[in-house]
Amino acid sequence: MTREAVTHLYTMLNNDLQSMGFGGHPMPGALKVTVALNFYASGSFQGSTGDFCRVSQSVVHCCIKKVTDALYCRTSDCVHFRIDLESQAKRATEFGAIEEFPQAQGVIDCMNVAIKESMEQPATFINRKGFHSINVQLVWDHRKCFLQVCARFPGSCHDSYILCQSRVLLLFTAPAHLQAWILGDKGYPLMTWLLMLKNPSNDAKECYNSCHGSIEQAIGMLKMCFHCLDRSGGTLQYAPDKVGCIVVVCCILHITVQSG
């Protein structure tokens, strides 16, 4: 994130972060923001972040909690799938300009975020690759800014199941019934409003897949910016609901970066 983006973030959260630190001494809000950002970006354990920022692990824990809670409360202000006619027309036009997909409103996919073994029903969090995770559904627009984030299902849940339980389904069915579609992969069921990747049996399908895949990059960008969501950065040592909050916060920060 740029200096300007971090400054904007601190200004936005300053009132929420004004609290006394340990031992009765105030902890600067700017320090809380930078410590939390270091954790999100590096994917390191709290101890490593503390060493880098020269604060104790308990202070790191406090900073992450404060910043995460403050940003999570702003989810509805930052992550929204607007369905007014003007927003629909703009998304359709921009998607069409990128890869000639008419009436496209977004791209949908899921990602598994590794977590420590859950104390409650641990088997439900084991995904098809054999590690514990939550399965996060994401929908993004032509700018690769997130329109919807669903981070409340365990890793064993199939992508199609999450779709049918999420608000996305309601947007494309009555009464909203958007007259458009979103782009997904083969993990989703066939629907009149969801275009899927095809097995490339001819040149037309090769071209279709190429266009489809070229705009399906937001998850990779998200993990690249916020390494705490990537398994290579380690396993998040929090309860599933807390990990879900961290995922949403990283998406909010990603929107801030993309929009700035």
Side-chain angles (χ1 to χ4, degrees), residues 69-89:
D69 290 348
L71 279 170
Y72 188 77
C73 289
R74 290 170 168 78
T75 302
S76 59
D77 297 329
C78 301
V79 184
H80 35 64
F81 200 142
R82 300 189 187 278
I83 61 172
D84 59 278
L85 294 179
E86 182 179 353
S87 296
Q88 291 186 56

Side-chain angles (χ1 to χ4, degrees), residues 111-113 115 118 120-128 131-136 150-159 161-162 240:
M111 68 173 182
N112 278 284
V113 177
I115 63 172
S118 175
E120 297 182 8
Q121 299 180 317
T124 63
F125 289 91
I126 301 177
N127 60 37
R128 59 185 178 82
F131 64 90
H132 292 79
S133 69
I134 61 171
N135 195 8
V136 181
C150 184
R152 56 188 175 88
F153 288 92
S156 64
C157 289
H158 194 274
D159 295 0
Y161 174 81
I162 298 175

Side-chain angles (χ1 to χ4, degrees), residues 6 27 30 33 39-40 76 129 158 168 179 190 206 252 259-260:
V6 174
M27 186 187 307
V33 170
F39 174 77
Y40 301 144
S76 59
K129 294 184 178 180
H158 194 274
V168 174
Q179 298 295 321
L190 180 62
E206 287 273 11
I252 292 173
S259 301

